[in-house]
């Protein structure tokens, strides 16, 4: 992966300290992508960051600003003059502006909106009203629309005239009274006869989403059909914007990070690992830890009932971590497969019984194999007699079946009742499996050893 | 999310049984996206599938074929005549063909290659030689290249002439003796004066990757810079292909699924949940389960040493699941954050000490809070005296610190030595934490209660 000679922090600092601002400006323009610059700027102190930012050409400044973290943006907004802010805002795309505004405190938002022209401010306010996870909240309102009577050459001319200010021109839309009636790929436009009409070359089998659709579904659709963009319509079927493939990729990455966090018992967090303070890390991790720690006392209470059994046969306690660990791992395998299957749209709630049937068969085979391996191990390592070996084998078989059935069904049920399936991952499943493991274990122990 | 009236299985079956092939062909062309059709075809028996496939227009047939699962593809190849196969192969993009070939058994591959023309066969053989995870293995070899002396209007003319057969035309490349010297966005081409030369409008600050670069890094670069495609060069710097944004999205989704699978102790699997047989599910899950089950015997052996202590104070056993559970959850929170940070390129091995320092601070705060809550709980629920409460608190604090340090450092070390960091997730961390928990617990117990 190579970009020609990206600048290092030291090179920039040297030019800064020697006050070679003109050279620095040129070097930044030619050798730094605004996205890399935004990342590098995190390492500078605030005074230097503001100087560097002021040196950037307008369009680079806007793109760099979009990619800064929220603390740095806030500082920059406080440092810039009103007219400087206006210049940045002018260059920013409306959808990026909305993303930025959503992360800033109210007083800073006001100042930014003041620096925006009236038309754009109205658009921003419109976009800010869409629910956080909706297609409307991430859509771009700049797109190219044709009338169906236009010729291909008129259409190309229109692109040449207005295209410069559109974030994407690769798919164009055909509207009639603002209603979406077709799409034309720029590729098809360029390879069609100039005198043909748009109506002749357009594709009327249009895929689209509405402003209130879930942004994750929109991203999945774009991905599934390999689209450059998906048009977004309002509830009167009027086209109001589009979501582009790069925004879809961002949604997919964010949703995945969120899922993975939740699956590990973490509150999801939009900031980076190092960008999150120690206290914030503690706050993100504590709730589940406390909940799970207190849930684990159920296991303890059950074991409390069998203290006499443990006093007589203390070696029974030694098997508990292995039984719980195996059950927990079996359960999390199943829940992970189902959670991921739901996320990529491969499994639906209606598949519940198909999933359970499959998991039971898998569980029976696995429990057979593991029980035998473990039974032999116990006998070979002389950790117990055949009766103990049998008890552990039976417990393990029951635990694995329970773990797999619970593990695969809870995420589906969560989805059905509108919860995030990801909360039904390892931590919760392990705790539930722990409880069922000790219950099963000591029930079997009581019967086999008449304790 | 809406596509106009997609057909259902029943509608297709009705037309099939009434032998209304002409209507079916029209309906499939107008109301079915080839990708949806490929998914729906999985529900048909093989005889019907072949009939439906034969009805499709050539280009739809090729796209449908690309999206079928490997069993269905194999069946179809066996059912089609040589000339039918040739037609499908002719329409398929070279990179898709390579993906298909990689999943098929050798004898079927031979038959497919026979159905391919000589030039394409040479290209396919070339692509098949790139390592599985490399940029070369996923790249597209069709792209548009300009010479720098061409004018903008000549360049547009070239696109109009050859564009139809290129999977992407939105970014074009400028080469000199096959060496990549610049890129031109189609957008810039359309909005520049017709008589300007390519040299004047091209961007010489080219980002590219080499054929042997990791495909995941390529996907991350495309995502990071919001690119439509990334050009791929060979080791003599000659341009040989490009990776498009839709392929990058697929790589990201596949890598994420793989990571999530490995993190749950599953062997990664390219087939869907239902597309995987029960036996294959067993095979994917068993290795880790056996390994972890046997590892858990270490915990058991340690507990064996303290059987006397357990016989005297059997209530001590009851705290073990809670201590292990809390430790395991703490460890998996840390390992998950680091694994994800590595995957999205936010954390590097060099950050090891920064990460450990942060985790230790987080662990100290969390262990303080959890130990106090749990200590109070023990006293309130009268599960033990202040001495037990203190013992559990101390054990918990040590366990949490160990779990977090182990959890955050193992993925980084795995990355450094060339292993997949994802294997250092919950299952392995829990087992390691279990071992350290019982060791710490009984050491403290021995001292406090002089057992």
């Amino acid at each position: 992966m190579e970009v020609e000679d990206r600048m290092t922090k030291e090179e920039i600092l040297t030019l800064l300290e020697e006050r070679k601002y003109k050279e620095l400006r040129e070097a930044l323009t030619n050798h730094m992508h605004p996205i890399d610059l935004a990342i590098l700027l995190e390492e500078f102190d605030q005074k230097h960051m503001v100087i560097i930012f002021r040196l950037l050409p307008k369009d680079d400044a806007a793109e760099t600003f979009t990619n800064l973290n929220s603390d740095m943006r806030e500082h920059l907004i406080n440092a810039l003059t009103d007219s400087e802010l206006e210049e940045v805002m002018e260059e920013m795309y409306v959808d990026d502006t909305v993303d930025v505004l959503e992360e800033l405190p109210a007083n800073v938002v006001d100042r930014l909106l003041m620096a925006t022209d009236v038309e754009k401010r109205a658009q921003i306010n419109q976009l800010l009203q869409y629910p956080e996870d909706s297609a409307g909240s991430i859509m771009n309102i700049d797109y190219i629309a044709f009338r169906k009577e236009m010729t291909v050459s008129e259409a190309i001319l229109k692109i040449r005239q207005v295209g410069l200010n559109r974030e994407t021109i690769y798919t164009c839309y055909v509207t009639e009274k603002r209603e979406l009636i077709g799409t034309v790929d720029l590729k098809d436009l360029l390879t069609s006869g100039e005198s043909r009409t748009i109506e002749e070359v357009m594709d009327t089998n249009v895929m689209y989403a509405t402003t209130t659709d879930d942004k994750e579904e929109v991203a999945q659709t774009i991905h599934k059909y390999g689209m450059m963009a998906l048009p977004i319509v309002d509830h009167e079927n009027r086209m109001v914007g589009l979501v582009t493939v790069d925004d879809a990729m961002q949604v997919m990455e964010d949703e995945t990070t969120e899922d993975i966090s939740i699956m590990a018992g973490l509150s999801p967090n939009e900031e980076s690992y190092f960008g999150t303070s120690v206290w914030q890390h503690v706050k993100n991790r504590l709730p589940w830890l406390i909940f799970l720690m207190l849930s684990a006392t159920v296991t303890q209470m059950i074991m409390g009932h069998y203290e006499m059994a443990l006093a007589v046969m203390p070696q029974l306690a030694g098997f508990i971590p292995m039984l719980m660990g195996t059950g927990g791992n079996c359960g999390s395998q199943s829940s992970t497969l189902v959670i991921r299957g739901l996320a990529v749209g491969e499994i639906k709630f209606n598949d519940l019984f198909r999933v359970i049937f499959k998991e039971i068969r898998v569980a029976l085979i696995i429990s057979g194999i593991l029980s035998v391996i473990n039974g032999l191990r116990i006998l070979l390592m002389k950790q117990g007699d055949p009766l103990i070996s049998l008890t552990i084998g039976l417990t393990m078989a029951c635990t694995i079946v329970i773990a797999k059935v619970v593990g695969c069904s809870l995420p589906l049920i969560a989805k059905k009742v509108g919860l995030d399936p990801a909360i039904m991952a390892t931590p919760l499943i392990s705790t539930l499996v722990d409880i069922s493991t000790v219950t099963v274990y000591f029930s079997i122990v009581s019967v086999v050893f008449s304790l």
Side-chain angles (χ1 to χ4, degrees), chain A residues 15 35 90 95 154 166 173 179 222 254 267 388 390 395:
Chain A
L15 289 172
I35 290 173
E90 207 169 281
D95 61 335
E154 283 169 346
R166 302 291 182 251
Y173 301 91
E179 204 176 303
I222 290 174
D254 290 347
S267 309
I388 287 187
L390 178 76
T395 308

Side-chain angles (χ1 to χ4, degrees), chain A residues 206-352:
Chain A
V206 188
M207 245 174 258
Y208 60 90
T210 52
T211 47
T212 49
D213 281 338
D214 188 320
K215 65 181 180 183
E216 197 173 356
E217 278 173 41
V218 169
Q220 281 295 349
T221 303
I222 290 174
H223 170 47
K224 182 176 171 191
Y225 299 104
M227 304 169 87
M228 288 292 140
L230 187 71
I232 308 292
V233 302
D234 65 13
H235 287 276
E236 274 104 52
N237 262 319
R238 289 175 306 200
M239 177 155 179
V240 288
L242 84 184
V243 174
T244 52
V245 61
D246 53 324
D247 291 330
M249 266 180 120
Q250 190 58 49
V251 168
M252 280 176 61
E253 184 167 294
D254 290 347
E255 296 289 328
T256 304
T257 300
E258 193 181 309
D259 271 7
I260 291 180
S261 300
I262 296 173
M263 287 171 78
L266 290 155
S267 309
N269 181 6
E270 293 197 352
E271 294 288 334
S272 68
Y273 176 83
F274 290 116
T276 307
S277 69
V278 168
W279 279 106
Q280 190 57 48
H281 271 295
V282 170
K283 271 198 257 173
N284 293 340
R285 301 184 197 187
L286 259 187
W288 267 107
L289 291 176
I290 294 176
F291 172 77
L292 294 168
M293 183 178 79
L294 295 179
S295 310
T297 59
V298 177
T299 318
Q300 188 180 4
M301 282 155 62
I302 297 169
M303 286 176 73
H305 277 285
Y306 295 97
E307 261 176 29
M308 287 308 297
L310 283 175
V312 180
M313 295 180 71
Q315 72 268 39
L316 289 177
F319 294 102
I320 292 175
M322 190 263 299
L323 290 169
M324 285 180 172
T326 304
N329 290 329
C330 283
S332 57
Q333 286 180 336
S334 303
S335 66
T336 300
L337 282 172
V338 173
I339 291 168
R340 186 66 186 158
L342 283 166
V344 300
E346 203 178 277
I347 299 179
K348 313 230 167 315
F349 177 74
N350 294 343
D351 296 320
L352 181 62

Side-chain angles (χ1 to χ4, degrees), chain A residues 94-105:
Chain A
V94 174
D95 61 335
D96 291 335
T97 313
V98 171
D99 287 346
V100 166
L101 290 179
E102 280 172 339
E103 287 172 23
L104 290 171

Side-chain angles (χ1 to χ4, degrees), chain A residues 101-117:
Chain A
L101 290 179
E102 280 172 339
E103 287 172 23
L104 290 171
N107 59 327
V108 186
V109 169
D110 286 346
R111 197 157 162 242
L112 267 187
L113 283 179
M114 296 282 282
T116 312
D117 66 49

